[in-house]
Amino acid sequence: MKEIPVIFLAFADDKDSHLPLLQEEAEDIFRELNPLQNRQHLLVYRDQHADVKKIYHYLTDYRGRVAIFHYAGHASSAKLRFEGQDADARGIAELLALQNRRQGTPPEQQPLKLVFLNGCSTREQVRYLLELGIPAVIATSVEVKDSLARDFAGQFYKALARPNTTVEQAFRSAASLAQSLQQFSPGVRYRGFGLEEEAEAFPWGLYLNGADGSPEARAVLDYKLPLENHREIIVWGTPDQAQAGPRLNERLVMSLFQEFSQSNEEIRKWKEFFGQFGNIEYKAVRAALINIFPAPIGQQFRKLVFGEQESVSQQISGDRLQQIVNTYDVLVRFLFFIMLSQLWEAVHARRIKNMPSGFFDEFEMYLSLRPTEVRFYNFIRLIRIIHNIFLHPDNQVAPFIRELSALKEAFEEGQAGGGRAQSQAFYEAHLFLEDIKHQMPVNSPEEELKSLCLQGENHLATIFTHLGFCLNYKLLTVKSIEYQKARFEKEGYLLRLVNQFRIIEGIEDTQQPSDLPTENRSVILLRDIQDFSETLSLSPFIIDENALTGAQKSKLYFFHHLERDSQGAPVFVYQFSDQLDFRPEAPEPATGRTIRVTGEHFPAVYKLFEHFLQSIRNAQPNEMIRYAE
């Protein structure tokens, strides 16, 4: 399998000389490159707390794959400042040069194309890098303002991430922005030209390892980020001969029915019931499947196979393809919130002793997503990171979802290539559904759209085959808890609940006695509907508006994104789980689909989310946890 090129982003701040906009630079660059990463075109390694040991470790880990190395932080003519210490520029240059020392590989095919040193006065480091064979370096000749450095780098990667944009075009785009802001005169410099001259007014230079007009120089100026998926999954323009209409749904529904009959007791009984009569009633099977899913997933599945919108449930259409993606996305987000909830509980209970800095970088990036970017985020990344935290020998936290180990094994086996056909299919289904989010067809020919819908349906069935264990867990809303104690009787609790499943029958308030209390006005997950000794609260990531307001029935909302008000205080924005709006042409959700949680509006949820963020951020990104007393 072709190796994915790596864009290596290293950011290092200094507590004694803080760069307030460094975080914004990191977010701006990642925001531009992340869609390419989601499409499997490249891999972005991002370290917002870079130190020398980690730089050496990960550059060694990615040896032969790094295409661009970007550094942002304090620098000088001979040093790069990482967190905790300064690094000699010659040593870093030697390490970077190792990326291009592949025996038998022509220079133009060596992986490392560009080193971008976005610190003050890094021009003197250019000579080391060019002498060691680095094709191109972007460096500065003078001190640079923090805000200008952020804007220049952000524009460079914004341009470079666009299709068919070269390094030269991206550099000139960024230089043009800087010039408009500061009235500079940008230029491209070549090896042997200008290195001995006094610094020009424009801070940045693009230095090339070759003379002006040479093939070596031209090759790096013309370099573009890859647009090819390392494992292309979507088949464009290939018609499928299967018919539209009910057969589409029957194909998906019946395959899930057969699969779930092996793992779910309720579906197994349905299969035995139909076996007595020698035939299977499709409509009954469809209703049974919708009923056993947790409500957020069941609602999306219902829209797909039994929806009121005919263009989704009964016809090949762009709406149907979008609903396939929505169903997958809600399923993955649901699993993500389960993982995040358990991580918080484990951190709060001080059972987590080791958390990698990579988690904090990815988590903060996730929180920085804009409203229109959330639908493109690949939640599998944080799910995998959190699961690995649970499995770390210093932590040894048993996942609440017991089937995660088998899921991890299948995903990694499929990612590596080879192995079992089921693992390959699972990984490729994940790639398809993540990729199609970014390439949703517009005005496609009917035959191509038919093919894409059927591909999507098959891949969604594969995802459900591996993630269908979620239906064995029961989702509930706890509206209130009443303490009960009669004379001479054992104390107990009366829980007023909403069962978040069996949506065909209707979601209604109910009550259930319990020997144990649980969290009030919260959304919880149980392994056994009769046993409240093993529960996991999913609040504040999933909330029930009706439980918070005292209304009847239920209205679930998923956390969507974080905003700031005019005073800088956090605003936690939620979207109605039944109507998550993923459409690019409608980035702002319709009225009634969102809840904005502030200190005044739903203060209990606000306080809970603030507590969560404080707990997670108190786990310092220094490999070993330190708890604030």
Side-chain angles (χ1 to χ4, degrees), residues 22 96-97 135 290 306-307 315 337 387 435 441-442 496 600:
L22 197 65
L96 290 169
I290 293 171
F306 189 52
Q315 296 177 4
F337 290 140
H387 188 230
D435 205 4
V442 178
R496 289 186 168 83
E600 293 72 39

Side-chain angles (χ1 to χ4, degrees), residues 25 27 71 171 179 186 249 283 307 383 415 441 471 610 626:
E25 179 178 339
E27 292 172 0
Y71 168 83
F171 178 78
Q179 184 181 12
N249 296 326
K283 291 183 179 180
I383 290 172
Q415 186 179 39
L471 56 85
E610 284 275 80
R626 292 182 298 173

Side-chain angles (χ1 to χ4, degrees), residues 452-485:
L452 291 173
C453 282
L454 294 175
Q455 289 177 63
E457 184 178 312
N458 289 335
H459 287 306
L460 182 63
T462 300
I463 292 293
F464 269 121
T465 297
H466 286 79
L467 293 182
F469 54 74
C470 290
L471 56 85
N472 292 321
Y473 295 80
K474 299 305 178 186
L475 190 68
L476 303 173
T477 292
V478 181
K479 287 194 168 181
S480 66
I481 304 173
E482 179 183 317
Y483 177 76
Q484 294 185 324
K485 176 68 171 73

Side-chain angles (χ1 to χ4, degrees), residues 47-88:
D47 190 344
Q48 289 188 208
H49 305 277
D51 60 44
V52 174
K53 288 185 178 180
K54 282 194 289 181
I55 289 294
Y56 271 76
H57 174 81
Y58 287 106
L59 281 177
T60 301
D61 225 24
Y62 293 126
R63 181 174 176 178
R65 293 178 58 192
V66 176
I68 297 176
F69 175 84
H70 179 96
Y71 168 83
H74 287 294
S76 66
S77 60
K79 301 285 185 182
L80 295 177
R81 178 165 295 176
F82 292 97
E83 297 201 3
Q85 70 180 102
D86 291 346
D88 180 75

Side-chain angles (χ1 to χ4, degrees), residues 363-380:
F363 179 67
E364 292 297 339
M365 192 285 302
Y366 160 67
L367 289 179
S368 75
L369 293 174
R370 296 169 182 167
T372 54
E373 296 170 337
V374 176
R375 66 177 177 269
F376 297 128
Y377 183 70
N378 187 344
F379 289 91
I380 294 292

Side-chain angles (χ1 to χ4, degrees), residues 141-143 148 182-186 189 198-204:
S141 57
V142 294
E143 292 187 353
L148 193 60
Q182 297 287 336
Q183 298 299 313
F184 290 127
S185 298
R189 300 175 177 87
E198 292 297 320
E200 296 182 16
F202 185 70
W204 288 274

